[in-house]
Amino acid sequence: MATLTLNGNPIHTCGELPLPGHATPPFTLTRTDLSEVSSVDLEGKRVVLSIFPSLDTATCAQSMLTFNALTADLSDTVLLCVSMDLPFAQNLFCGTQGLERAEPASAFRHPEFGQAFGVTLVDGPMRGLFARAVVSLDENGTVLHTELVPELTREPDYELAIHAIRNHHHPCPEDALETTE
């Protein structure tokens, strides 16, 4: 269980974020067209999971806009914006904002996502929604970076999340041969 604050008042999550260097927990989420996307579908791609309470708050909306802009040149990276918002609301938001990189993903059918990532809020007025967090994954699903934002009304450290993706070494086939000799 992690402690963070909402307007200075302590609130708690159901667990802890996965640790850097560890495999991401398997997950499934619902896209805006009601199809599912899973961790298996994302294998071979770098992923930024931007996790937040709801698009209906200014900070969450700003977070999607900022990550969308910062990942514009990262063609090998998927930006999944994860909340409990219904896929219809996520689709409306992305359409009106012209977000091209952001892929909204709803956990409304998959509350186990919040449990697996330790982000479900267990008390306070936003109980049942997700904390604001970022998890960056390499192409093998290994956690490169995590951040649980300590004050729910604040934005994450975008640069650290993107830095982890940009500066992760892609092993090339020659590297694999050198290590086996």
Side-chain angles (χ1 to χ4, degrees), residues 38-113:
S38 73
S39 49
V40 173
D41 299 326
L42 300 170
E43 289 176 2
K45 298 176 184 168
R46 295 176 186 203
V47 178
V48 175
L49 294 168
S50 174
I51 305 165
F52 49 85
S54 175
L55 286 170
D56 287 328
T57 67
T59 305
C60 298
Q62 184 58 51
S63 179
M64 274 189 79
L65 292 166
T66 302
F67 270 127
N68 185 73
L70 288 174
T71 60
D73 66 330
L74 297 174
S75 60
D76 65 340
T77 301
V78 175
L79 170 61
L80 273 187
C81 298
V82 183
S83 69
M84 292 294 282
D85 291 304
L86 292 177
F88 315 112
Q90 292 176 331
N91 191 44
L92 179 64
F93 177 84
C94 287
T96 59
Q97 297 295 324
L99 301 180
E100 294 158 7
R101 293 279 307 138
E103 293 185 29
S106 176
F108 87 108
R109 289 185 185 153
H110 309 284
E112 68 279 0
F113 175 90

Side-chain angles (χ1 to χ4, degrees), residues 6-25:
L6 173 61
N7 296 318
N9 299 309
I11 56 175
H12 303 91
T13 64
C14 66
E16 303 285 337
L17 287 169
L19 295 172
H22 289 80
T24 187

Side-chain angles (χ1 to χ4, degrees), residues 90-145:
Q90 292 176 331
N91 191 44
L92 179 64
F93 177 84
C94 287
T96 59
Q97 297 295 324
L99 301 180
E100 294 158 7
R101 293 279 307 138
E103 293 185 29
S106 176
F108 87 108
R109 289 185 185 153
H110 309 284
E112 68 279 0
F113 175 90
Q115 297 295 321
F117 282 81
V119 294
T120 302
L121 296 172
V122 296
D123 55 16
M126 297 181 78
R127 170 176 75 253
L129 296 177
F130 295 154
R132 185 175 323 287
V134 180
V135 179
S136 300
L137 309 171
D138 73 7
E139 59 279 353
N140 300 311
T142 302
V143 177
L144 297 173
H145 165 79

